[in-house]
Amino acid sequence: MKRMITRPLLKMAGLTPLLCCLALAQQRATPDLTTIVQEMERAQSEVRPQTPYQVIREYRLFGAKSTSANAEVVAQVDFKPPTSKDYSIQKWSGSTRGKQVVERVLDHETASNGNQAPTALSSDNYDFLLVGETVFDGRPCYVLGLKPKRKEKDLILGQAWVDKRSFFILHIEGEVAKAPSWWLKSVRVKLSFGDLSGTWLQTSMEAVADVRLLGSHTLTSHILDYRGADMSASTMLAPARIRLRSQNP
């Protein structure tokens, strides 16, 4: 009788680790694309700034085949929710053309009045594809393919890196769906995002434009300083590192 009872118990004991592994695998299973997009949209809506803030950005413009900047511009951007946004040039050096380029970029940014809906990474603006999983600056994330639903200069044909835990957007790379002007044959951008004292913002940008007759030009920007409503925190963010782990959906 004792043997008859012991054998089933031993079999159950052998199954226990297997059942635990199966349960753990189910918990770690990659969610479907629809769920990832919905969580990403929810995360974007929750991190929109609710209080005034100010950022100081440094812009640098590089000409074709130039290893040193042709122009450097420091600008202050002030945002007052929900829609007020303004900027001022603090200082600049180098070519006047570089200063004009930065002013045009900032004019376009502030003209949107803080309304991110037309350009947000949402199902209203994009068709998404789950490309794979990657480690971005030490953070596991999903890689989503981006296909704009409209040809607009603020939408990007490329990829987005989305944090697996928070579903915050960490990085975007690709080509703008529509060139801003006839002079620009194409514009390829890299955008990085991060948490600045509780506010999730774009922390750096690189735009490489193929200019007709003049060749490739590069505009970069990064945040020198961030100030919230009741505090001031300086930050210099190092470039993030991307390590590919898988390219399979």
Side-chain angles (χ1 to χ4, degrees), residues 170-236:
L170 303 177
H171 190 74
I172 299 174
E173 287 190 24
E175 188 172 319
V176 296
K178 180 181 178 180
S181 71
W182 180 87
W183 286 101
L184 303 178
K185 293 193 288 184
S186 65
V187 180
R188 186 164 185 83
V189 298
K190 296 180 181 179
L191 309 174
S192 292
F193 303 82
D195 184 354
L196 299 181
S197 302
T199 302
W200 197 261
L201 297 175
Q202 178 184 310
T203 55
S204 67
M205 176 273 294
E206 177 184 286
V208 181
D210 186 1
V211 185
R212 297 181 191 275
L213 306 179
L214 299 177
S216 177
H217 282 64
T218 301
L219 177 67
T220 66
S221 79
H222 68 274
I223 291 180
L224 295 177
D225 188 61
Y226 165 84
R227 297 185 179 97
D230 301 316
M231 49 75 69
S232 176
S234 297
T235 180
M236 290 291 288

Side-chain angles (χ1 to χ4, degrees), residues 8 12 42 45 50 56 75 80 87 90 114 116 122 124 138 142-143 153-154 165 197 209 211 235 246 249:
M12 292 180 64
R42 176 192 57 77
S45 65
Q50 302 299 317
I56 307 296
K80 296 180 180 180
Y87 78 91
Q90 300 297 296
Q116 298 178 346
S122 68
D124 290 334
Y142 302 112
V143 182
K153 57 187 178 182
D154 291 323
R165 296 184 64 182
S197 302
V211 185
T235 180
S246 171

Side-chain angles (χ1 to χ4, degrees), residues 82-93:
T83 58
S84 177
K85 203 169 191 178
D86 199 5
Y87 78 91
S88 60
I89 302 297
Q90 300 297 296
K91 62 180 181 179
W92 68 280
S93 62

Side-chain angles (χ1 to χ4, degrees), residues 26-203:
Q26 289 178 349
Q27 292 176 357
R28 294 181 178 178
T30 301
D32 59 49
L33 177 60
T34 300
T35 300
I36 294 174
V37 172
Q38 289 174 346
E39 289 297 313
M40 180 182 67
E41 292 175 338
R42 176 192 57 77
Q44 288 182 87
S45 65
E46 291 180 353
V47 298
R48 288 173 185 166
Q50 302 299 317
T51 58
Y53 70 87
Q54 177 188 95
V55 294
I56 307 296
R57 296 190 194 132
E58 180 185 57
Y59 292 85
R60 305 182 75 193
L61 180 67
F62 298 83
K65 300 180 180 179
S66 176
T67 57
S68 59
N70 295 341
E72 297 183 3
V73 180
V74 175
Q76 174 180 308
V77 183
D78 297 287
F79 178 72
K80 296 180 180 180
T83 58
S84 177
K85 203 169 191 178
D86 199 5
Y87 78 91
S88 60
I89 302 297
Q90 300 297 296
K91 62 180 181 179
W92 68 280
S93 62
S95 71
T96 303
R97 180 189 298 273
K99 178 174 177 286
Q100 293 173 341
V101 169
V102 173
E103 286 176 333
R104 289 175 185 173
V105 170
L106 290 169
D107 283 340
H108 179 72
E109 179 181 342
T110 55
S112 65
N113 291 324
N115 182 13
Q116 298 178 346
T119 60
L121 258 63
S122 68
S123 52
D124 290 334
N125 300 322
Y126 289 92
D127 290 320
F128 297 97
L129 173 68
L130 181 56
V131 177
E133 299 180 6
T134 290
V135 176
F136 181 92
D137 199 24
R139 302 173 69 165
C141 56
Y142 302 112
V143 182
L144 299 184
L146 308 177
K147 183 180 179 182
K149 291 185 174 181
R150 304 176 301 279
K151 283 192 174 184
E152 294 184 5
K153 57 187 178 182
D154 291 323
L155 299 181
I156 298 172
L157 176 64
Q159 294 183 337
W161 284 254
V162 181
D163 186 274
K164 293 178 69 172
R165 296 184 64 182
S166 66
F167 291 94
F168 289 167
I169 299 165
L170 303 177
H171 190 74
I172 299 174
E173 287 190 24
E175 188 172 319
V176 296
K178 180 181 178 180
S181 71
W182 180 87
W183 286 101
L184 303 178
K185 293 193 288 184
S186 65
V187 180
R188 186 164 185 83
V189 298
K190 296 180 181 179
L191 309 174
S192 292
F193 303 82
D195 184 354
L196 299 181
S197 302
T199 302
W200 197 261
L201 297 175
Q202 178 184 310
T203 55

